[in-house]
Amino acid sequence: MKLTQVRYFSHASIILICCCISIAFAASAAAALFSVPDWVELSPNNPPPARSYLAMTYDPVSGKTIAFGGLDGTGYLNDTWSFDGTSWAHIATPSAPPARAAAQMTYDSVTQKVVLFGGFNGTYLGDTWLWDGSTLQWTQATPQHHPAAVTSPMLFPDPNGRADLFGGYDGHFYQLTMWQWNGSDWIQLFPPKVPFARSSAAVATNTVTGEVVMFGGLGSVNPNNTWTYDGTTWTLQSPAVQPLLVYAASAAFDPSLQGVVLFGGGSGGVDQNTTWLWDQVGATWIQLSTAQSPPAREGAGMTYDAALHHVILFGGQVNENVYFNDTWELISTPTPTPTPTPSATPRPGVTPRPRPTPHPRPTPQ
């Protein structure tokens, strides 16, 4: 961090005072930026039954994290849950989307509703459902147009506030079309460039800068890459460091860390428990060194809960037969104010790692 330059005056005392003020201000600002991230397991009341490949997002209207459906190892689920930081609550609704796993949902700030699309329950699904946080009800939308019925699409907030959808797997092909929900219909978008076709990628939107970040997934063409989207154009990034190629990883933007956080995912059939941060300024990934970590998993729900000011993670599975119902939050604890020095101080809590050799998962049949 550059210290504020002090203009030279004729009086040495004024120079000294100004320099002291500048150093103190810089140290204070640095203290706000330096934080040590860590995962903390919560013990909420009434947690949902264990599951993976659920849909989960934060709903600003109700001020709670909303989770829907998933797979529990014996069947597909269609129950709806909310989390307020202390307890999970099962929400009984007169109607709900049919049971499914690998659907995705996100909040549309224009219509102020949560949009859910796609998934799989023995059949690839292409229906659209809307969650109203003021009435706590699901309503099935009847759009004239819609994306192909797919499992594991990427659904995320567009920089303009709308809900955007990219990709997914239709049982035969990975998709690379992009759509936007306009409140009553899906409108296909045609950016000048789109990522390689894929499903099960980790995606999240930096709500401060409006940058969408997408990494990994499954695809016929190598998905071991990072893409960003500014609302108009997708850009293939070339980070010096990036995670192992993972599918069904979880991602969310954390304002306190000023970046998109990525956790876990499967890699070559081996589930991971590493935590990464996308550094937008440096255009690279940084591995976060946390004292604790959720166990390795794929298919977990993760979102930033604006009411709690933390990233929340729930559920997931490991080894295809162990399902979780644990709840974790990612906290950022400020460190003591560092002593200003002429040289840069490495950011504590983050450890750059060499880029590992990816182990792609075989394409599903």
Side-chain angles (χ1 to χ4, degrees), residues 30-352:
L33 294 177
F34 280 64
S35 59
V36 178
D38 196 15
W39 286 102
V40 175
E41 185 173 5
L42 304 178
S43 299
N45 301 316
N46 193 37
R51 67 193 63 206
S52 67
Y53 288 90
L54 62 151
M56 193 167 105
T57 193
Y58 176 71
D59 172 28
V61 175
S62 64
K64 298 177 182 178
T65 288
I66 305 298
F68 172 81
L71 178 71
D72 67 0
T74 60
Y76 300 97
L77 306 170
N78 77 329
D79 47 350
T80 304
W81 294 78
S82 67
F83 179 64
D84 64 4
T86 302
S87 302
W88 284 95
H90 178 229
I91 304 175
T93 60
S95 64
R100 68 191 66 199
Q104 293 295 320
M105 64 184 185
T106 193
Y107 180 71
D108 182 329
S109 61
V110 178
T111 62
Q112 298 184 0
K113 290 181 174 62
V114 170
V115 181
L116 181 146
F117 182 84
F120 184 81
N121 62 4
T123 300
Y124 294 89
L125 301 170
D127 49 347
T128 303
W129 289 79
L130 306 176
W131 171 257
D132 188 331
S134 61
T135 62
L136 305 184
Q137 301 295 330
W138 286 105
T139 302
Q140 184 172 8
T142 55
Q144 184 177 357
H145 310 88
H146 60 80
V150 291
T151 184
S152 299
M154 282 61 71
L155 194 59
F156 51 90
D158 187 276
N160 67 14
R162 294 288 190 184
D164 285 1
L165 182 146
F166 176 81
Y169 181 69
D170 70 0
H172 301 283
F173 301 103
Y174 293 98
Q175 303 294 303
L176 49 64
T177 53
M178 187 170 177
W179 298 76
Q180 184 172 100
W181 178 250
N182 72 357
S184 60
D185 199 8
W186 288 100
I187 307 300
Q188 187 169 355
L189 304 181
F190 297 94
K193 179 188 289 187
V194 294
F196 309 135
R198 68 191 68 199
S199 70
S200 303
V203 62
T205 302
N206 183 323
T207 55
V208 175
T209 64
E211 180 186 66
V212 179
V213 180
M214 185 171 69
F215 174 77
L218 294 168
S220 299
V221 177
N222 178 22
N224 188 23
N225 34 60
T226 301
W227 290 79
T228 57
Y229 178 66
D230 63 4
T232 302
T233 303
W234 286 95
T235 302
L236 176 61
Q237 300 292 334
S238 301
V241 178
Q242 70 179 15
L244 281 169
L245 169 58
V246 285
Y247 52 85
S250 306
F253 171 65
D254 189 331
S256 65
L257 294 174
Q258 301 177 30
V260 168
V261 175
L262 181 149
F263 175 80
S267 183
V270 179
D271 292 317
Q272 307 295 307
N273 75 331
T274 50
T275 305
W276 294 80
L277 179 73
W278 174 252
D279 177 2
Q280 182 174 335
V281 176
T284 192
W285 289 97
I286 301 170
Q287 186 170 356
L288 302 182
S289 298
T290 59
Q292 299 185 86
S293 174
R297 67 192 65 195
E298 62 183 80
M302 192 164 93
T303 188
Y304 178 76
D305 191 310
L308 303 176
H309 307 291
H310 292 303
V311 166
I312 300 296
L313 180 141
F314 173 80
Q317 71 178 78
V318 66
N319 298 331
E320 299 185 357
N321 57 5
V322 177
Y323 294 80
F324 296 104
N325 75 331
D326 49 351
T327 304
W328 294 76
E329 68 177 355
L330 184 64
I331 63 172
S332 299
T333 305
T335 60
T337 302
T339 301
T341 60
S343 60
T345 303
R347 186 179 182 184
V350 294
T351 305

Side-chain angles (χ1 to χ4, degrees), residues 1-4 19-35 258 334-341:
M1 174 177 293
K2 294 182 180 178
L3 298 179
T4 304
C19 288
C20 291
I21 292 173
S22 299
I23 292 172
F25 176 80
S28 176
L33 294 177
F34 280 64
S35 59
Q258 301 177 30
T335 60
T337 302
T339 301
T341 60

